[in-house]
Amino acid sequence: MEGGQSAGVYSLPPSRFYGEDILFCVDVDAESRTEMKLSGPKGRPITRLDSIKQALLLFVNAKLSINPDHRFAFAVLGQSVSWLRKEFSNDVDSAMAAVRGLAAANSSYGVADITQLFRIAAHEAKKSRMQGRLFRVMLIYCRSSVRPQHLWPVSQKVFTMDVIYLHDKPSSENCPQKVYDALVDALEHVSEYEGYIFESGQGLSRVLFRQMCILLSHPQQRCVQDDLDIPKSLTRKSTPPIDAIPTDDSISVSSQLIISCC
């Protein structure tokens, strides 16, 4: 205290931690049949959709371990968006059944209109909000040359959106950078809280799993994506320079100093 005045006290205003209703929207274009780099048991090829299914179940189980009040529903993206499992549920068996129902198309759709996704999300978000819950959309997109399209008023931001983008490496036949930019624009256009977007052209399932683990973060508790410093890279510990390695003489002198000081 100075001059009879008490120092200011910092306090964090209490806020309610909302349970989430999460709508997964999975791109089932023919490009979701693209094989990943590593094969499965007995050399069986693993496709993007196979890895997505594993990642979804990883997410659902982990999210429910954090808070069993979270709920999930599923939709698919072809030319437009349609429901796969409309009822939001925290039942793992229900989620597994929905994931098993995901199937990739045999040919490319050519168009990816996500207006219906935003329409569904806005409608469901209002119902979630009336129940004191938070609504989030997670779009998993797989097309390397088809940019998603939408017609949605910028003033409506009633849900949060995350995106994972799996794509081929850039070539003369595709331009994943333009697709990525369109996905960023869509996310910023609709997201209420901080939405995250991750991409990978490496074809590695472990990268997808790592990204899904980051998306476990609750939208109300996120930093901006530019400030993310996870996951930490595991670097090999470097060997100290020769001058820094203690010799027998230096160890002996150090011991003598300790003894004499005692």
Side-chain angles (χ1 to χ4, degrees), residues 25 33-34 38 45 52 67 69 106 114 125 127 138 143 158 195 209 216 222 224 237 244 255 259-260:
C25 183
R33 292 179 176 270
T34 302
L38 300 180
I52 290 169
N67 182 353
D69 189 44
N106 292 318
I114 56 176
K127 294 195 294 185
M138 188 182 299
R143 307 182 203 187
V158 294
F209 298 158
L216 288 168
R222 292 180 175 181
V224 296
K237 189 174 181 180
S255 300
I259 293 172
S260 62

Side-chain angles (χ1 to χ4, degrees), residues 20-23 114-126 128-129 133-139 150 152-163 186-195 219 222:
E20 285 194 85
D21 288 336
I22 300 175
L23 172 59
I114 56 176
T115 304
Q116 181 65 11
L117 174 61
F118 295 163
R119 187 175 292 118
I120 290 172
H123 176 72
E124 295 294 332
K126 292 176 182 177
S128 295
R129 186 161 296 187
R133 303 178 64 83
L134 201 68
F135 194 90
R136 177 161 41 135
V137 170
M138 188 182 299
L139 172 63
H150 69 85
W152 194 250
V154 72
S155 59
Q156 294 191 30
K157 291 190 174 184
V158 294
F159 58 89
T160 301
M161 182 176 178
D162 293 325
V163 178
L187 183 152
E188 294 178 345
H189 193 72
V190 299
S191 198
E192 178 183 15
Y193 291 96
E194 178 72 13
R222 292 180 175 181

Side-chain angles (χ1 to χ4, degrees), residues 148-210:
Q149 306 170 5
H150 69 85
L151 295 172
W152 194 250
V154 72
S155 59
Q156 294 191 30
K157 291 190 174 184
V158 294
F159 58 89
T160 301
M161 182 176 178
D162 293 325
V163 178
I164 289 182
Y165 178 35
L166 306 179
H167 58 84
D168 298 334
K169 292 187 179 298
S171 70
S172 58
E173 298 179 355
N174 62 51
C175 188
Q177 181 62 56
K178 291 182 179 179
V179 178
Y180 178 83
D181 292 343
L183 289 167
V184 171
D185 289 342
L187 183 152
E188 294 178 345
H189 193 72
V190 299
S191 198
E192 178 183 15
Y193 291 96
E194 178 72 13
Y196 288 167
I197 178 168
F198 299 110
E199 59 81 29
S200 175
Q202 302 176 49
L204 296 173
S205 296
R206 69 172 181 270
V207 174
L208 171 60
F209 298 158
R210 183 177 66 210

Side-chain angles (χ1 to χ4, degrees), residues 36-252:
M36 306 294 277
K37 282 188 176 180
L38 300 180
S39 58
K42 298 182 179 179
R44 183 181 69 85
I46 296 178
T47 66
R48 283 177 184 162
L49 188 58
D50 292 331
S51 294
I52 290 169
K53 289 180 178 182
Q54 294 178 43
L56 289 173
L57 294 178
L58 168 68
F59 183 96
V60 168
N61 280 280
K63 193 71 172 174
L64 291 177
S65 296
I66 297 170
N67 182 353
D69 189 44
H70 297 308
R71 303 186 304 196
F72 312 95
F74 296 82
V76 293
L77 172 62
Q79 286 188 329
S80 183
V81 171
S82 58
W83 284 106
L84 178 65
R85 184 167 294 258
K86 188 174 182 179
E87 297 77 18
F88 284 85
S89 171
N90 62 353
D91 181 65
V92 174
D93 291 336
S94 175
M96 291 179 64
V99 169
R100 284 195 296 266
L102 289 168
N106 292 318
S107 58
S108 177
Y109 288 105
V111 176
D113 189 340
I114 56 176
T115 304
Q116 181 65 11
L117 174 61
F118 295 163
R119 187 175 292 118
I120 290 172
H123 176 72
E124 295 294 332
K126 292 176 182 177
K127 294 195 294 185
S128 295
R129 186 161 296 187
M130 291 175 63
Q131 300 173 36
R133 303 178 64 83
L134 201 68
F135 194 90
R136 177 161 41 135
V137 170
M138 188 182 299
L139 172 63
I140 304 177
Y141 195 76
C142 298
R143 307 182 203 187
S144 300
S145 57
V146 178
R147 282 178 280 185
Q149 306 170 5
H150 69 85
L151 295 172
W152 194 250
V154 72
S155 59
Q156 294 191 30
K157 291 190 174 184
V158 294
F159 58 89
T160 301
M161 182 176 178
D162 293 325
V163 178
I164 289 182
Y165 178 35
L166 306 179
H167 58 84
D168 298 334
K169 292 187 179 298
S171 70
S172 58
E173 298 179 355
N174 62 51
C175 188
Q177 181 62 56
K178 291 182 179 179
V179 178
Y180 178 83
D181 292 343
L183 289 167
V184 171
D185 289 342
L187 183 152
E188 294 178 345
H189 193 72
V190 299
S191 198
E192 178 183 15
Y193 291 96
E194 178 72 13
Y196 288 167
I197 178 168
F198 299 110
E199 59 81 29
S200 175
Q202 302 176 49
L204 296 173
S205 296
R206 69 172 181 270
V207 174
L208 171 60
F209 298 158
R210 183 177 66 210
Q211 293 168 345
M212 289 293 281
C213 287
I214 297 175
L215 293 183
L216 288 168
S217 59
H218 196 285
Q220 289 179 294
Q221 299 177 312
R222 292 180 175 181
C223 64
V224 296
Q225 184 165 349
D226 289 343
D227 292 340
L228 275 178
D229 61 350
I230 54 174
K232 300 287 188 181
S233 59
L234 299 177
T235 56
R236 186 175 181 179
K237 189 174 181 180
S238 58
T239 304
I242 296 177
D243 294 343
I245 300 177
T247 63
D248 291 341
D249 292 340
S250 64
I251 293 174
S252 175

